[in-house]
Amino acid sequence: MAEELESKTLFTIPVFGGIPIAESVAVTWVIMAILVILSLILVRNLKVENPGKKQLLLESGVSFLQDFFVGILGEEGKRYVPYLMSTVIFIGIANIAGVFGFTPPTKDMNVTIALSLMSIILIEYAGFHKRGLKGFLKSFAEPVPIMLPINILELAIRPTSLCMRLFGNVLGSFVVMKLLEFICPAILPIPFSLYFDFFDGFIQAYVFVFLTSLFIKEAIE
């Protein structure tokens, strides 16, 4: 377990005395490159009339995600949907990276902390954008002034809960799969891989963005 918690250095860039690049960072770069390449390929030759199967499938996926998040946030929260869509796609792919021989980046707490901080910054920005500076500061004393300390604590509690939930579940799934591969490397890990690597991985991505959506909705109400 201690070994799995370590953030391994994959290589070092020989500048400024050496910049260590963690394995999670390198895998994240690979995922980003894949997403960029797929985006360039999938959006080529789009048609308004008589779209092909590839375009229809792409539009169906985008429409599904957009309708899902708009259904939570409402029309007023549409500006935040692109971030949520990008995040759920990235986390979903990152969580199933183990199937392709990579170590899931979300197994590294530094990655989940970064994702949580980005989400909480967006949540607080949403409240600030909706209410203005005066209303944003006043919201910390709602519904009654005595709630001020608790509301301030939520600024740390929310990203911590998002981070630890994602990190803990991904790390737990990764460790269980490694144990199964050690006990019975031939057949046993296959059905469990379908659950831990695919089903559970996508569920964790869904939970992360769903909670972020709810927090944004609360901030803009």
Side-chain angles (χ1 to χ4, degrees):
M1 177 64 74
E3 182 181 353
E4 298 301 337
L5 285 170
E6 294 179 2
S7 181
K8 301 176 182 177
T9 299
L10 192 61
F11 62 91
T12 301
I13 300 177
V15 293
F16 303 112
I19 302 176
I21 302 300
E23 185 179 15
S24 58
V25 175
V27 177
T28 297
W29 288 347
V30 172
I31 295 173
M32 290 168 59
I34 292 173
L35 290 177
V36 170
I37 293 171
L38 285 177
S39 298
L40 294 175
I41 294 174
L42 293 175
V43 299
R44 292 181 62 186
N45 303 320
L46 297 182
K47 300 177 182 179
V48 177
E49 299 181 356
N50 300 320
K53 293 181 179 180
K54 179 186 71 174
Q55 181 176 340
L56 289 174
L57 182 62
L58 178 63
E59 290 178 351
S60 298
V62 172
S63 297
F64 171 78
L65 290 175
Q66 188 169 7
D67 292 343
F68 172 76
F69 289 119
V70 171
I72 297 175
L73 299 174
E75 291 295 321
E76 194 173 6
K78 288 183 68 174
R79 67 173 65 231
Y80 309 111
V81 170
Y83 168 80
L84 295 168
M85 292 173 61
S86 301
T87 302
V88 72
I89 292 172
F90 170 77
I91 296 178
I93 294 177
N95 287 350
I96 65 172
V99 177
F100 305 100
F102 296 101
T103 300
T106 42
K107 187 184 71 69
D108 185 351
M109 188 180 291
N110 295 310
V111 174
T112 57
I113 288 174
L115 288 168
S116 300
L117 286 177
M118 287 192 299
S119 292
I120 203 65
I121 289 172
L122 182 65
I123 293 166
E124 299 307 322
Y125 167 79
F128 179 83
H129 183 270
K130 169 69 176 181
R131 307 180 184 187
L133 178 59
K134 184 177 179 180
F136 175 73
L137 295 176
K138 185 179 178 181
S139 66
F140 287 100
E142 294 177 350
V144 291
I146 198 174
M147 294 294 293
L148 178 63
I150 297 177
N151 289 335
I152 292 176
L153 280 175
E154 278 192 347
L155 293 176
I157 293 173
R158 283 179 174 178
T160 302
S161 65
L162 287 173
C163 166
M164 297 308 297
R165 181 181 288 107
L166 179 60
F167 169 74
N169 281 283
V170 173
L171 177 63
S173 299
F174 184 82
V175 172
V176 169
M177 284 306 304
K178 288 298 182 182
L179 290 173
L180 291 174
E181 290 172 6
F182 176 77
I183 296 171
C184 184
I187 300 174
L188 187 60
I190 296 176
F192 285 94
S193 178
L194 294 176
Y195 175 79
F196 287 115
D197 289 329
F198 281 94
F199 180 75
D200 187 63
F202 288 126
I203 285 294
Q204 296 310 318
Y206 164 79
V207 170
F208 186 93
V209 295
F210 179 71
L211 290 176
T212 302
S213 302
L214 290 182
F215 292 151
I216 293 176
K217 176 66 174 178
E218 180 184 344
I220 63 178
E221 284 183 339

